[in-house]
Amino acid sequence: MYATEILEEKRLCNIGSYEERLGGFNWAIAEKEMGWGRGDPLNIGWHLTDRICRLGLARKPALLWEGSDGRERTYTFGDLRLLSNAVAAALSRLGLQPSERVCLFLDRVPELYIAFVGILKMGGIVQPLFSAFGEESLLTRLLDAGTAAVLTQKKHLGKLRRIRARLPALRTIVVVDAEGLALKDGEVALDLDSEPRLERFPLFPATAETPSILHYTSGTTGQPKGAQHVHHSLVSQYLTAKWVLDLRSDDVYWCNADPGWVTGTSYGIIGPWSNGVTQAVLDSGFGADRWYGFIERRRISVWYSAPTAIRLLMREGTQTAKRHDLSSLRHLASVGEPLNPEAVHWSREAFGLPFHDTYWQTETGCIVISNYPGMPVKPGSMGKPFPGIAAAVLDPTTLEPHREPGRVGVIGLRPGWPSMIRGYWNNPDGYAKKFANGWYLTGDRATVDADGYFWFVGRDDDVINTGGHLVGPFEVESALLEHPAVAESAAVAKPHPVNMEVVKAFIALKPGFTPGPDLEIEIMNFVRKRLSPIAMPQEIAFVASLPRTRSGKIVRRVLRAAEWGEPVGDLSTLMED
Ligand code: PRX
């Protein structure tokens, strides 16, 4: 039985064993290593570039970039420093003020990574959004954040132009590849290749509590929430990247997450660069041979991926991996969904290395539970809390930690580590609800075993986790209701062999509309265009009516339980509010 087998890891991590690191831990270790408190600036943008250059690494490659069309670019830490200064200056010239929200609506092009640093340097709040978002997803998030500027590419400009009239706070759209384009009022071009590189820029004097990034994440109710990160997050992201991802100075690191999601910023920008580590970026979608070719060409040594991607690779078999020289790989880690034991065993066959599961959330900002390098891996377990993070499985009723191992409860974290978000944008009540009895409640259920390893059980809410991306049912249902044929709808998770879950919609039609495959496809496409390919229902069931509570709220749990073959439970209590 896989799950009970323990994989001994002889190798020691970067910095010492898990047990050694637990004793006497405090976050000041990272602050000290980074020179924090010696009068250095606290601005993350400075720490990712100027501080690394001060260490004598200005000529070291920071970004090895490959585009979908095969184009390649390399940027050193010196380039990053000067170009991010140039972006910061350009944005200031456009009248953007510190604390204004500046959205990155870009594919994974170099401009995204450079502008991320530049916005932080001028004191702006970076709002990264997935470039595949449709108009509705974009509008909701830009409206909520009161975004003042958006950086984008020609190919995504149409979506912004179509919603612009509904965004009163949006003053400027900056197009990073505007050549040959007729710009309209309020649109400007910013071409990094021709922009003069700037030796000096008056850095915004961020404090630890200055807002840095606003990441939108989905909940069960209401529209997505803006998770508000601050500059102090750097401390946790630096140290977890070093100790959990085991980053070392000669590594070439690859995080295949898009910076529209938190993994792509915490560990796709801040983690590696604050450690002065070279990272490679591939701006194209999944393809087993393409990915292996990238690892081979770029000599990737540390790879941070996700279970859905690993399952896609598994489908291709180990022979596809064996056709490539992947001997550069040294450490593998995964995040976003439960990592099944089979994936850990398969990766040992394919790469000679196990994937190390890590667990965290947009809200936590950094890895909080993980298989620490050098610690025995129990395949299927998320591992143990990072030193400095107090985690427990709580009895759902008393919210006290379970005394005996093996009992299912809610994962609670003691608040207070540097990268915990400081609030939800415009939504203090939503944030306050996440805390009780002195714990931050993750909303995930787990067990903890006698050795202190955590085992994921499931989410405590109706949020759908598809391929590691959270989709809020409310957002999908709201989009569905805008379709002329839809009277009412419910979106729930349906099990899926690769993506773990996909969206399934139950729809009651308005009179005069007939269910059928054409209408099903039309409605799916309607959601894909409005929201995103991820939020699009993969299946639609037309029903006469939906299960409701006595006061009329739709009970998604009943529909979900049927999809998962789980008992529905006592319907009389389920139907109560
Ligand atoms: O349900 C958990 C799941 O993803 C959620 C967090 O999603 P998000 O805020 O988008 O951040 C994703 C990347 C950090 C969690 O509440 N999740 C994340 N990691 C794991 C996981 N579920 C099981 N095992 C994991 N390792």
Side-chain angles (χ1 to χ4, degrees):
M1 173 63 186
Y2 275 157
T4 51
E5 185 188 331
I6 298 178
L7 309 178
E8 288 295 341
E9 281 219 318
K10 294 280 177 271
R11 139 182 96 95
L12 274 189
C13 94
N14 209 351
I15 291 295
S17 74
Y18 179 70
E19 282 71 26
E20 277 163 20
R21 282 295 148 196
L22 269 183
F25 178 88
N26 65 64
W27 292 105
I29 295 173
E31 295 186 356
K32 208 166 135 211
E33 278 187 23
M34 299 175 75
W36 196 288
R38 284 200 323 220
D40 286 343
L42 302 190
N43 190 307
I44 294 179
W46 183 87
H47 276 269
L48 304 187
T49 56
D50 299 62
R51 188 178 63 84
I52 305 301
C53 292
R54 194 176 69 180
L55 296 170
L57 300 175
R59 286 161 191 259
K60 180 176 178 178
L63 177 62
L64 309 174
W65 181 82
E66 286 189 23
S68 47
D69 54 1
R71 272 188 311 138
E72 294 184 8
R73 298 291 298 264
T74 298
Y75 296 84
T76 63
F77 280 100
D79 294 331
L80 269 191
R81 183 174 80 81
L82 302 178
L83 286 169
S84 58
N85 282 349
V87 171
L91 295 178
S92 301
R93 269 200 314 275
L94 288 170
L96 287 158
Q97 299 297 321
S99 89
E100 286 196 306
R101 276 72 61 213
V102 182
C103 169
L104 297 173
F105 190 54
L106 295 161
D107 295 347
R108 276 174 274 178
V109 290
E111 286 84 350
L112 186 160
Y113 296 83
I114 294 164
F116 178 92
V117 179
I119 296 166
L120 293 175
K121 282 188 170 179
M122 52 77 60
I125 301 177
V126 187
Q127 183 191 14
L129 292 181
F130 187 41
S131 61
F133 273 156
E135 287 160 33
E136 199 70 32
S137 290
L138 198 54
L139 179 69
T140 314
R141 291 157 176 84
L142 295 177
L143 254 187
D144 186 64
T147 309
V150 182
L151 274 70
T152 196
Q153 289 155 273
K154 251 191 272 194
K155 66 199 258 204
H156 303 305
L157 186 58
K159 293 185 209 170
L160 283 160
R161 282 182 172 171
R162 286 192 289 275
I163 57 174
R164 179 142 199 193
R166 288 186 277 164
L167 293 166
L170 181 60
R171 299 198 300 275
T172 313
I173 296 176
V174 181
V175 186
V176 300
D177 58 352
E179 211 188 294
L181 186 76
L183 292 170
K184 298 191 175 174
D185 251 9
E187 295 173 356
V188 295
L190 178 68
D191 175 6
L192 281 191
D193 287 331
S194 58
E195 194 68 18
R197 296 174 166 226
L198 256 197
E199 189 53 46
R200 280 185 209 297
F201 171 79
L203 185 76
F204 180 76
T207 67
E209 294 304 309
T210 302
S212 55
I213 307 168
L214 190 61
H215 263 300
Y216 276 78
T217 181
S218 299
T220 302
T221 53
Q223 293 292 358
K225 298 178 291 243
Q228 197 192 310
H229 294 255
V230 295
H231 281 257
H232 202 213
S233 74
L234 173 68
V235 168
S236 308
Q237 289 151 350
Y238 165 83
L239 205 63
T240 47
K242 187 167 181 172
W243 290 5
V244 180
L245 302 180
D246 200 20
L247 291 184
R248 305 173 191 190
S249 58
D250 55 352
D251 275 319
V252 179
Y253 166 75
W254 183 31
C255 166
N256 61 250
D258 189 293
W261 317 106
V262 73
T263 311
T265 56
S266 288
Y267 298 104
I269 303 181
I270 302 176
W273 284 350
S274 62
N275 277 280
V277 166
T278 303
Q279 74 157 328
V281 167
L282 178 62
D283 180 25
S284 69
F286 177 80
D289 266 318
R290 187 183 308 142
W291 279 25
Y292 291 142
F294 184 66
I295 294 173
E296 188 171 8
R297 262 193 319 283
R298 295 299 178 172
R299 307 295 299 151
I300 304 292
S301 52
V302 177
W303 181 18
Y304 198 21
S305 195
T308 290
I310 301 165
R311 285 192 288 269
L312 283 169
L313 293 171
M314 283 169 78
R315 283 212 308 206
E316 308 276 334
T318 47
Q319 67 278 11
T320 312
K322 302 268 190 247
R323 280 206 298 273
H324 296 266
D325 173 8
L326 306 177
S327 57
S328 56
L329 289 173
R330 178 177 69 71
H331 186 64
L332 311 177
S334 159
V335 65
E337 313 144 61
L339 182 65
N340 31 327
E342 292 73 15
V344 178
H345 290 286
W346 179 83
S347 95
R348 287 176 84 217
E349 272 166 46
F351 313 119
L353 299 165
F355 266 96
H356 291 71
D357 194 10
T358 68
Y359 164 87
W360 55 294
Q361 303 181 310
T362 305
E363 286 84 347
T364 69
C366 75
I367 295 166
V368 290
I369 296 176
S370 71
N371 288 277
Y372 201 79
M375 189 171 95
V377 174
K378 294 195 189 189
S381 162
M382 307 193 291
K384 295 187 184 188
F386 188 77
I389 303 279
V393 169
L394 309 175
D395 179 316
T397 331
T398 62
L399 294 184
E400 293 295 337
H402 275 313
R403 286 177 196 280
E404 314 85 57
R407 294 189 59 189
V408 178
V410 179
I411 306 175
L413 305 169
R414 283 269 183 239
W417 67 97
S419 65
M420 175 70 193
I421 58 162
R422 303 301 200 263
Y424 291 125
W425 195 258
N426 285 337
N427 187 358
D429 293 348
Y431 189 61
K433 280 195 196 128
K434 301 289 277 192
F435 299 87
N437 203 24
W439 297 96
Y440 161 69
L441 306 174
T442 59
D444 288 315
R445 282 178 286 124
T447 63
V448 65
D449 69 18
D451 298 327
Y453 281 71
F454 283 66
W455 300 77
F456 186 80
V457 173
R459 286 188 64 97
D460 223 16
D461 59 20
D462 293 338
V463 171
I464 303 154
N465 185 336
T466 178
H469 300 309
L470 304 188
V471 175
F474 180 83
E475 202 179 6
V476 179
E477 290 158 6
S478 306
L480 284 168
L481 286 182
E482 285 178 40
H483 189 280
V486 176
E488 55 177 14
S489 71
V492 301
K494 176 188 164 71
H496 188 269
V498 172
N499 288 350
M500 186 170 88
E501 297 178 350
V502 289
V503 179
K504 175 166 179 179
F506 290 81
I507 291 176
L509 292 174
K510 287 186 185 153
F513 289 91
T514 324
D518 288 350
L519 185 58
E520 184 177 4
I521 289 174
E522 186 191 311
I523 295 176
M524 284 175 178
N525 279 328
F526 181 81
V527 178
R528 183 177 56 79
K529 277 193 78 179
R530 276 180 181 243
L531 298 182
S532 67
I534 289 163
M536 178 183 85
Q538 302 284 321
E539 192 180 316
I540 291 178
F542 293 106
V543 292
S545 66
L546 293 167
R548 288 182 179 280
T549 61
R550 290 195 188 100
S551 66
K553 265 195 243 156
I554 292 169
V555 193
R556 298 189 194 97
R557 262 155 217 262
V558 175
L559 300 166
R560 188 185 186 283
E563 292 304 314
W564 291 76
E566 290 166 0
V568 172
D570 179 356
L571 276 182
S572 61
T573 53
L574 268 173
M575 298 305 183
E576 276 161 19
D577 271 350

